[in-house]
């Protein structure tokens, strides 16, 4: 009888351990934040190194003055090593809790013009209809709500003040800069300040940066529903863009 009780106790203990492990596993699966990390100039520099090693860029000094064009042939969107732009926003999901929504697209086009020691013009366009996140439901919702990409399919950024080229640009160093420009999203244009970092290798420049935005400033009503309890008004426009000298 005692032996039976001991076996029963051991079995019950084993069940408790299994349930605790399953509960912790479920908690980890639900609450961990798998959002892609923000772009870094270090990672972009590695992409430039790989492109140069594979013969994509001969390297060496380059005259930066002139026209530059967005280059989508460098890196890959699969691992976010190439050109992309998108959003980052904090949200609250039912039965999950706080998490980060990140949507990105590789469909970025545009130009940059350098005159003397200044960037005098930047014009970039992003195809918002191709934004992809880790949730297809989120991407579908943005077509008719929130960004309403069916109605407002593109976002644009235009530099409005000349940007001085940082000293040492040709050295391969990672150089910070701050630019001011007009960001148009959801049919609304607002002036934004973009913090960015640039590195140059041969005839290719990597530019990584972000700008804080308030959704309400652009007339965007954050889409909520059964699974999405709330989305913060403060969001981030972020990008990693490779420009090639023409």
């Amino acid at each position: 009888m005692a032996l039976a009780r001991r076996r029963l106790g051991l079995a019950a203990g084993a069940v408790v351990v299994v349930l605790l492990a399953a509960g912790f596993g479920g908690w980890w699966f639900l609450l961990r934040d798998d959002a892609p990390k923000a772009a870094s100039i270090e990672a972009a520099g590695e992409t430039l190194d790989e492109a140069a090693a594979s013969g994509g860029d001969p390297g060496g000094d380059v005259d930066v003055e002139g026209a530059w064009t967005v280059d989508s042939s460098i890196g890959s969107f699969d691992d976010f090593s190439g050109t992309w732009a998108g959003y980052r926003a904090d949200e609250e999901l039912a039965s999950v809790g706080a998490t980060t929504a990140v949507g990105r697209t590789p469909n970025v086009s545009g130009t940059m013009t350098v005159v003397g020691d200044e960037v005098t013009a930047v014009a970039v366009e992003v195809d918002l209809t191709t934004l992809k996140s880790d949730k297809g439901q989120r991407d579908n919702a943005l077509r008719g709500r929130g960004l309403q990409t069916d109605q407002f399919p593109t976002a644009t950024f235009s530099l409005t003040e000349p940007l001085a080229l940082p000293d040492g640009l040709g050295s391969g160093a990672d150089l910070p800069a701050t630019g001011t420009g007009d960001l148009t999203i959801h049919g609304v244009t607002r002036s934004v300040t973009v913090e960015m970092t640039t590195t140059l290798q041969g005839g290719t420049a990597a530019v990584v940066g972000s700008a804080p935005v308030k959704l309400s400033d652009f007339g965007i009503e954050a889409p909520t529903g059964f699974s999405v309890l709330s989305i913060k008004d403060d969001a981030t426009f972020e990008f990693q863009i490779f420009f090639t000298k023409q």
Side-chain angles (χ1 to χ4, degrees), residues 41-54:
I41 198 63
E42 292 80 12
E46 291 176 3
T47 299
L48 286 180
D49 291 340
E50 293 173 3
S54 63

Side-chain angles (χ1 to χ4, degrees), residues 4 9 21 37 55-56 65 84 92 105-106 109 111 124 128 133 139 147 150 157 160 162 174-175 181 191 198 217 227:
K37 294 180 180 179
E65 190 167 9
W84 56 262
E92 187 83 15
T105 174
S109 59
T111 59
V124 173
L128 300 182
S133 69
D139 302 337
L147 288 173
D150 282 346
F157 174 82
T160 54
D174 302 336
L175 303 170
S191 178
T198 301
D217 285 347
S227 60

